[in-house]
């Protein structure tokens, strides 16, 4: 993440996404557990003429060309192609491939990139005009036919990222001329353009698009400012500058090649070792997903700390409404208000994440504040449980109903974050059993319904992530909604509406129902934290995708 912060109670491996979408389900890994490693997403909010956005260092001085930037990773996350699995480092994938459209984090609008313009009809037909000067690293040209092949390649077995959901529902893809492509959906898809801006939707060469899925995880030939020079699993990823690159989005305020000659990602699993290496400044100059408990140490060592708020769902818990005890809305609501989010943030991320105010992050263009349903109220939680028939508290502190059944719920993670949840809900008499599946079975089991409480995370800056996650008619239905709910109707409807105000009204009502009916329990909005040497300038984050195009080293 796709696939940020999987609830691991984290993100990473949560990257999620749902198809394991931006599953960032793995999120947990990226972050080191749940995100106990507050994800490091770079964004220095000091704009400079040379960076055109967030920049690293103090943003001053004339950019210097050349040099190697060494970046520390906790793992290689299964490859280099974010279109295959969300767990892939989107920061790597973003440097290798460009997208048709660019999401401007300042205006929260879409701008030209590989596509110079587009026309949308009824949120169903999308006609793109392409740049005519773009090449891939293998020397081949960007054409409408290549874009068509890219979209077709994403709808194959083995693609387990959010990219697969982007092309679901396409009826036809046609190429009227060499630099034009038309995508027609069976039904309206208002989220299509925004989804195309993400790293997992980066356009690759025809040769890469045709590769077997397993091979795409090891080799990517894109149109980005860097090309893949070397990938040694669990050791390092080496990127080299493309001197001919000259089609960056206007957001970056310049043209031409990247400043850096080379970027080397080094896999260093241990937090303490990575921290020591970046503090020393010779082996590493930059690290991702910094654990919140280390931030003060890194600041004291003179490193620059920058933070980026996830623009989508953050860390949240889908509630299985088909489960025996959770069919009762009062039990679900008790869990909602029995969660002390302020305490959770302090313990899990050392205060660097933000308390959730709804199912969408405040950084999302369609954020809806429904925090009135999320206020911690232990007495109210206990009252709801007693009203639902859970009046007796056993000797072990867990509530029992008239049939003698203990109020015990099963969850698929056992991390520091989940242990905080376990402790908090025990105070209201709920037993949360932490029983994680094997990693290889996680995606399938989370959608099987065998868990009472699950986790999810998404980082695409569009409200349609809610339909993708919780929709029943279409979507992953992670809360196992029954037929005919108002919230499912709204989630489907919002993706048919292009007018911003009209769509916002629908999203507001859907967000209210998701939270008030406790179909989902929003916990925190994830904040990615990065740490780097002050000699590093021009680092930029757009959403949770990182851009090294304007990055330069002061020597």
């Amino acid at each position: 993440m796709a696939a940020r912060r999987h609830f691991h109670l984290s993100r990473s491996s949560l990257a999620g996404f749902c198809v394991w979408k931006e599953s960032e389900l793995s999120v947990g890994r990226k972050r080191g557990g749940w995100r106990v490693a507050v994800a490091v997403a770079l964004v220095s909010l000091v704009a400079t003429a040379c960076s055109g956005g967030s920049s690293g260092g103090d943003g001053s001085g004339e950019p210097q060309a050349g040099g190697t930037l060494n970046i520390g990773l906790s793992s290689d996350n299964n490859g280099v192609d974010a279109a295959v699995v969300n767990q892939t480092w989107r920061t790597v994938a973003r440097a290798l491939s460009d997208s048709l459209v660019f999401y401007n984090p300042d205006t929260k609008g879409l701008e030209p990139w590989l596509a110079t313009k587009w026309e949308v009809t009824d949120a169903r037909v999308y006609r793109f005009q392409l740049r005519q000067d773009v090449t891939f690293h293998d020397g081949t040209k960007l054409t409408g036919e290549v874009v068509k092949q890219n979209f077709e390649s994403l709808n194959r077995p083995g693609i387990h990222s959010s990219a697969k959901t982007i092309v679901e529902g396409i009826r036809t893809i046609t190429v009227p001329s060499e630099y034009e492509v038309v995508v027609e959906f069976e039904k309206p898809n208002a989220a299509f353009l925004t989804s195309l801006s993400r790293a997992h939707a980066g356009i690759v060469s025809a040769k890469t698009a045709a590769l077997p899925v397993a091979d795409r995880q090891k080799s990517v030939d894109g149109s980005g400012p860097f090309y893949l020079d070397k990938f040694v699993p669990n050791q390092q990823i080496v990127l080299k500058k493309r001197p001919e690159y000259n089609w960056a989005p206007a957001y970056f305020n310049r043209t031409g090649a990247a400043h850096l000659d080379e970027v080397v990602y080094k896999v260093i699993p241990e937090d303490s070792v990575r921290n020591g290496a970046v503090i020393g400044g010779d082996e590493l100059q930059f690290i991702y997903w910094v654990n919140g408990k280390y931030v003060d140490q890194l600041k004291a060592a003179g490193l620059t700390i920058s933070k980026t708020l996830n623009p989508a769902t953050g860390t949240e818990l889908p509630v299985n409404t088909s489960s025996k005890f959770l069919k009762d809305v009062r039990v679900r609501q008790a869990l909602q208000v029995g969660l002390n989010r302020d305490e959770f943030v302090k313990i899990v991320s050392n205060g660097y994440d933000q308390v959730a105010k709804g199912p969408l992050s405040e950084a999302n263009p369609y954020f809806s504040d429904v925090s009135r349903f999320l206020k911690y109220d232990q007495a109210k939680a206990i009252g709801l449980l007693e009203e639902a028939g859970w009046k007796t508290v056993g000797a072990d502190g867990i509530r029992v109903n008239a049939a003698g059944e203990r109020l015990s719920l099963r969850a698929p993670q056992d991390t520091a974050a989940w242990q905080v949840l376990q402790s908090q809900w025990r105070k209201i008499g709920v037993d949360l059993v932490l029983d994680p599946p094997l990693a290889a079975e996680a995606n399938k089991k989370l959608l099987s319904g065998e868990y009472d409480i699950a986790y999810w995370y998404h980082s695409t800056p569009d409200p349609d992530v809610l339909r993708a996650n919780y929709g029943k008619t279409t979507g992953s239905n992670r809360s196992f909604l029954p037929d005919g709910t108002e919230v499912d109707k709204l989630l489907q409807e919002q993706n048919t509406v292009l007018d911003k105000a009209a769509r916002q009204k629908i999203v507001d009502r859907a967000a209210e129902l998701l939270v008030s009916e406790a179909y989902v329990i929003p916990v925190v909005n994830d904040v990615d934290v990065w740490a780097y040497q002050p000699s590093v300038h021009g680092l930029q984050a757009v959403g949770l995708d990182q851009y090294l195009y304007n990055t330069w080293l002061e020597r």
Side-chain angles (χ1 to χ4, degrees):
M1 171 185 271
R4 53 152 23 287
R5 265 170 238 308
H6 299 321
F7 180 68
H8 274 16
L9 240 200
S10 144
R11 148 188 149 160
S12 163
S13 278
L14 230 207
F17 286 116
C18 294
V19 169
W20 274 91
K21 287 194 139 205
E22 245 203 77
S23 167
E24 303 198 342
L25 214 171
S26 31
V27 146
R29 278 178 32 190
K30 277 187 179 174
R31 284 219 225 261
W34 129 298
R35 249 206 19 100
V36 168
V38 175
V40 184
L42 289 179
V43 106
S44 256
L45 295 178
V46 180
T48 66
C50 66
S51 71
S54 301
S55 64
D58 60 8
S60 64
E62 192 68 25
Q64 299 176 23
T68 297
L69 176 64
N70 296 291
I71 300 176
L73 305 179
S74 60
S75 70
D76 67 26
N77 280 326
N78 305 314
V80 293
D81 190 348
V84 178
V85 285
N86 284 316
Q87 291 89 332
T88 293
W89 293 92
R90 291 191 306 273
T91 54
V92 175
R94 184 75 288 173
L96 297 174
S97 60
D98 302 322
S99 292
L100 289 179
V101 300
F102 180 80
Y103 177 79
N104 186 318
D106 299 330
T107 65
K108 297 183 180 180
L110 297 172
E111 300 175 358
W113 196 349
L114 297 183
T116 58
K117 61 181 179 180
W118 49 86
E119 298 175 1
V120 183
T121 303
D122 299 329
R124 197 175 60 82
V125 180
Y126 293 79
R127 181 182 297 270
F128 299 93
Q129 296 289 336
L130 307 177
R131 291 186 65 124
Q132 301 182 20
D133 59 344
V134 176
T135 61
F136 299 97
H137 178 57
D138 65 3
T140 58
K141 298 191 304 181
L142 170 72
T143 64
E145 184 60 36
V146 171
V147 174
K148 179 176 184 290
Q149 292 172 20
N150 267 255
F151 290 154
E152 291 173 343
S153 76
L154 298 178
N155 195 23
R156 295 186 291 168
I159 297 292
H160 294 297
S161 80
S162 301
K164 188 174 183 116
T165 65
I166 294 175
V167 298
E168 288 176 346
I170 290 179
R171 174 187 289 173
T172 62
I173 306 173
T174 56
V175 183
S177 64
E178 184 175 13
Y179 297 105
E180 187 177 13
V181 63
V182 179
V183 179
E184 181 178 350
F185 286 87
E186 295 282 352
K187 299 178 181 179
N189 184 352
F192 184 55
L193 282 178
T194 302
S195 299
L196 290 179
S197 70
R198 302 303 313 289
H200 53 249
I203 303 298
V204 297
S205 69
K207 180 179 179 180
T208 297
L211 287 174
V213 172
D215 292 340
R216 282 190 63 165
Q217 291 178 261
K218 298 177 287 187
S219 176
V220 173
D221 184 356
S223 65
F226 295 89
Y227 69 90
L228 181 64
D229 180 62
K230 183 187 300 183
F231 171 44
V232 182
N234 299 312
Q235 293 185 35
Q236 67 174 359
I237 303 169
V238 180
L239 311 183
K240 299 280 191 179
K241 174 170 69 175
R242 291 187 62 198
E244 69 277 19
Y245 186 81
N246 196 34
W247 41 86
Y251 175 81
F252 295 104
N253 286 341
R254 73 180 187 89
T255 58
H259 298 306
L260 296 169
D261 286 336
E262 182 181 59
V263 181
V264 178
Y265 295 87
K266 300 180 181 182
V267 177
I268 304 175
E270 293 297 322
D271 286 351
S272 60
V273 178
R274 281 198 314 281
N275 292 346
V278 76
I279 288 173
D282 293 327
E283 183 180 2
L284 299 177
Q285 293 85 47
F286 173 48
I287 57 174
Y288 291 108
W289 288 294
V290 174
N291 187 314
K293 67 183 180 183
Y294 300 126
V295 171
D296 290 343
Q297 172 196 1
L298 295 171
K299 279 184 177 179
L303 297 183
T304 300
I305 304 295
S306 54
K307 300 175 288 184
T308 295
L309 178 64
N310 175 11
T313 61
T315 296
E316 56 190 33
L317 314 180
V319 178
N320 186 346
T321 59
S322 70
S323 293
K324 184 175 183 178
F325 301 143
L326 297 177
K327 291 179 181 178
D328 191 324
V329 66
R330 294 168 296 185
V331 177
R332 303 198 304 267
Q333 291 169 336
L335 296 175
Q336 190 79 283
V337 298
L339 173 57
N340 186 335
R341 293 167 177 82
D342 289 315
E343 179 184 72
F344 183 94
V345 167
K346 290 177 183 177
I347 296 174
V348 175
S349 71
N350 197 26
Y352 280 90
D353 283 334
Q354 293 186 5
V355 170
K357 295 181 179 179
L360 292 173
S361 159
E362 290 184 75
N364 192 284
Y366 288 82
F367 166 69
S368 183
D369 187 344
V370 289
S371 56
R372 63 188 182 279
F373 299 109
L374 301 174
K375 294 178 180 178
Y376 176 56
D377 190 333
Q378 189 178 77
K380 181 178 180 180
I382 291 173
L384 285 164
L385 291 175
E386 292 180 343
E387 183 182 327
W390 298 95
K391 298 180 180 180
T392 302
V393 178
D396 61 355
I398 302 305
R399 293 183 178 275
V400 180
N401 63 14
E405 298 171 307
R406 296 173 73 252
L407 184 47
S408 181
L409 306 175
R410 186 164 168 245
Q413 287 282 331
D414 187 1
T415 64
W418 281 97
Q419 290 163 17
V420 172
L421 293 175
Q422 184 183 56
S423 174
Q424 290 191 355
W425 282 336
R426 191 174 187 85
K427 292 177 182 178
I428 60 173
V430 177
D431 179 29
L432 185 65
V433 178
L434 306 182
D435 183 21
L438 295 174
E441 302 173 342
N443 291 356
K444 181 179 179 181
K445 288 202 169 187
L446 284 183
L447 293 172
S448 70
E450 65 179 84
Y451 291 103
D452 300 288
I453 306 288
Y455 58 83
W456 202 234
Y457 160 99
H458 215 303
S459 59
T460 295
D462 189 273
D464 194 52
V465 296
L466 300 180
R467 179 200 58 81
N469 287 355
Y470 306 110
K472 178 177 175 60
T473 305
T474 65
S476 298
N477 195 20
R478 295 185 178 278
S479 295
F480 299 90
L481 300 176
D483 291 331
T485 61
E486 181 185 357
V487 72
D488 180 52
K489 178 182 177 182
L490 293 167
L491 291 176
Q492 307 303 321
E493 183 183 2
Q494 60 78 31
N495 200 33
T496 69
V497 178
L498 290 175
D499 180 78
K500 175 69 165 61
R503 194 181 186 201
Q504 182 71 65
K505 185 176 181 179
I506 299 169
V507 171
D508 287 345
R509 177 58 178 161
E512 178 179 330
L513 287 174
L514 282 170
V515 172
S516 65
E517 296 293 309
Y519 294 128
V520 59
I521 299 175
V523 183
V524 300
N525 293 145
D526 300 323
V527 174
D528 283 4
V529 178
W530 301 348
Y532 45 95
Q533 285 285 334
S535 59
V536 179
H537 300 265
L539 288 168
Q540 295 170 277
V542 177
L544 296 183
D545 290 340
Q546 179 228 34
Y547 291 81
L548 297 175
Y549 175 63
N550 271 337
T551 303
W552 58 279
L553 293 173
E554 183 177 348
R555 298 188 302 283

